Amino acid sequence: MMQSPPVYDICTLSAFKENDIIISRFEPYLNHHINLSAPHRHTFYHLLLFTKGAGSHTIDFEEFEVKPHQIYFMIPGQVHSWNFKGFTDGYIINFSDSFFQSLLLNPAYIESFSFFNGSVKDAVINLPLDSFNRASKLLEEIIEEAEGKRVMSADLVRLLMLQLFIAISRLSVTVNNKGPASYNQILLKNFQKLIEDNYLSLKLPKEYADLLYITPNHLNALCKDLLGMQAGEVIRNRTLLEAKRLLTNLQLNINEIAFKLNFNDNSYFTKFFKKLEGITPEEFRRKILNHN
């Protein structure tokens, strides 16, 4: 029987630990942590820039082809796995939720970057050559600074990382041809943040509309316009994602997962899951574990 996908924190990967951050070229990191190819969850932020490699990687059950010049970002709690083909290298940084707190007054600053908002479609970016070269240069500087252990190295690493984040964020804006965020975009982001904080207890669009001081019709129109779906579907999709994440943990039975997600009983949870995913929770669990 397969073991439950483990949850890794910074301390678990202590071979590379320094001030709540792990910085490494990817090839030696991968050799040191071969077990990380299996499905697992992180309690920390994670980014990886591929310089060489092929195969696939999966973030929250969405699969992506590994490509040189590709960078991806993950937030705590997401489920991840790798399936590389041949030699793979690049740069990897893992950092704790508190890593930037000594430098930034706004504790939610990192969340302002679209690739750290938890949306998988924003988290995997194929860089043009000039952007890849700039990102590689910054990551080389970060590695050099981390290995040098000079005075105030940790703070310089933080600044270099922020420079990298801002450069990638500007690229994302250019690629998507977006201007300054509109009122509706800000409202949608606030709705998504409220879902993240309350999806276990608040299930109805009206409850979120009340918190946003708008009508349910306004919220539905907003989601339909910007996401192509109703507000209720956005809420249900977040619950479905958490159900999938929990189903990778074989230590939890279906009843326990239903309870954690605040369903009244197992049958209601199963009906909810099958309606959205097309298969039962048990079938999904077998499928995802056999696939990996």
Side-chain angles (χ1 to χ4, degrees):
M1 184 175 180
M2 295 183 65
Q3 295 299 309
S4 301
V7 178
Y8 292 105
D9 58 25
I10 291 287
C11 295
T12 309
L13 308 175
S14 57
F16 292 91
K17 184 186 176 189
E18 182 68 32
N19 296 321
D20 290 322
I21 187 168
I22 296 167
I23 302 168
S24 177
R25 289 181 176 81
F26 187 55
E27 192 265 341
Y29 177 93
L30 185 60
N31 288 340
H32 192 81
H33 299 292
I34 298 173
N35 55 315
L36 294 184
S37 61
H40 59 280
R41 297 177 76 160
H42 298 162
T43 65
F44 48 82
Y45 290 89
H46 164 79
L47 71 93
L48 173 56
L49 173 64
F50 292 112
T51 56
K52 298 178 182 178
S56 64
H57 61 103
T58 302
I59 303 174
D60 274 343
F61 316 102
E62 291 195 37
E63 188 173 288
F64 300 88
E65 180 185 354
V66 171
K67 300 177 181 178
H69 303 183
Q70 182 183 90
I71 190 168
Y72 72 79
F73 301 83
M74 288 179 57
I75 64 171
Q78 293 185 296
V79 173
H80 187 214
S81 62
W82 293 317
N83 183 19
F84 297 127
K85 295 179 180 177
F87 179 77
T88 304
D89 202 4
Y91 305 91
I92 185 169
I93 299 179
N94 300 328
F95 62 96
S96 70
D97 187 47
S98 61
F99 180 68
F100 285 100
Q101 285 182 2
S102 64
L103 189 69
L104 299 175
L105 187 62
N106 177 6
Y109 182 81
I110 294 301
E111 297 173 14
S112 68
F113 295 108
S114 61
F115 42 77
F116 278 138
N117 67 9
S119 172
V120 174
K121 68 180 179 62
D122 295 324
V124 180
I125 305 166
N126 295 308
L127 301 178
L129 182 59
D130 58 341
S131 299
F132 168 76
N133 289 337
R134 184 177 182 191
S136 297
K137 182 175 182 296
L138 284 168
L139 285 159
E140 282 289 347
E141 291 181 43
I142 290 168
I143 286 178
E144 180 183 353
E145 194 60 39
E147 292 177 348
K149 298 182 179 180
R150 294 183 284 267
V151 175
M152 301 182 76
S153 280
D155 282 341
L156 186 50
V157 165
R158 290 178 174 93
L159 292 173
L160 289 167
M161 287 174 62
L162 289 175
Q163 189 176 343
L164 174 67
F165 297 164
I166 291 170
I168 300 296
S169 182
R170 286 176 175 173
L171 173 67
S172 299
V173 169
T174 302
V175 168
N176 294 307
N177 196 27
K178 294 178 181 176
S182 68
Y183 168 75
N184 280 344
Q185 289 170 328
I186 293 171
L187 197 58
L188 176 63
K189 185 172 182 180
N190 289 338
F191 173 48
Q192 292 170 324
K193 182 69 167 63
L194 284 172
I195 292 175
E196 191 64 31
D197 294 339
N198 300 283
Y199 69 92
L200 291 176
S201 56
L202 303 183
K203 306 291 186 181
L204 302 177
K206 183 184 184 305
E207 296 172 303
Y208 290 95
D210 289 344
L211 292 173
L212 293 166
Y213 298 100
I214 61 176
T215 66
N217 286 341
H218 185 176
L219 182 58
N220 270 325
L222 172 76
C223 292
K224 191 71 175 176
D225 182 44
L226 295 181
L227 298 176
M229 64 181 75
Q230 299 285 338
E233 189 176 351
V234 181
I235 300 165
R236 290 189 292 273
N237 283 347
R238 181 61 186 90
T239 304
L240 177 66
L241 173 59
E242 196 61 27
K244 290 179 178 180
R245 290 174 175 176
L246 291 171
L247 284 164
T248 64
N249 184 352
L250 297 183
Q251 295 175 357
L252 295 174
N253 63 41
I254 305 301
N255 283 330
E256 289 170 325
I257 292 173
F259 178 77
K260 282 180 175 290
L261 295 175
N262 209 18
F263 285 88
N264 291 331
D265 56 55
N266 178 22
S267 62
Y268 182 40
F269 168 61
T270 297
K271 187 181 298 183
F272 166 87
F273 192 95
K274 186 171 184 179
K275 183 177 180 180
L276 270 65
E277 192 64 17
I279 56 177
T280 67
E282 293 90 346
E283 289 168 337
F284 176 84
R285 171 173 273 175
R286 288 194 296 269
K287 176 184 173 183
I288 198 69
L289 293 179
N290 290 338
H291 179 71
N292 291 284

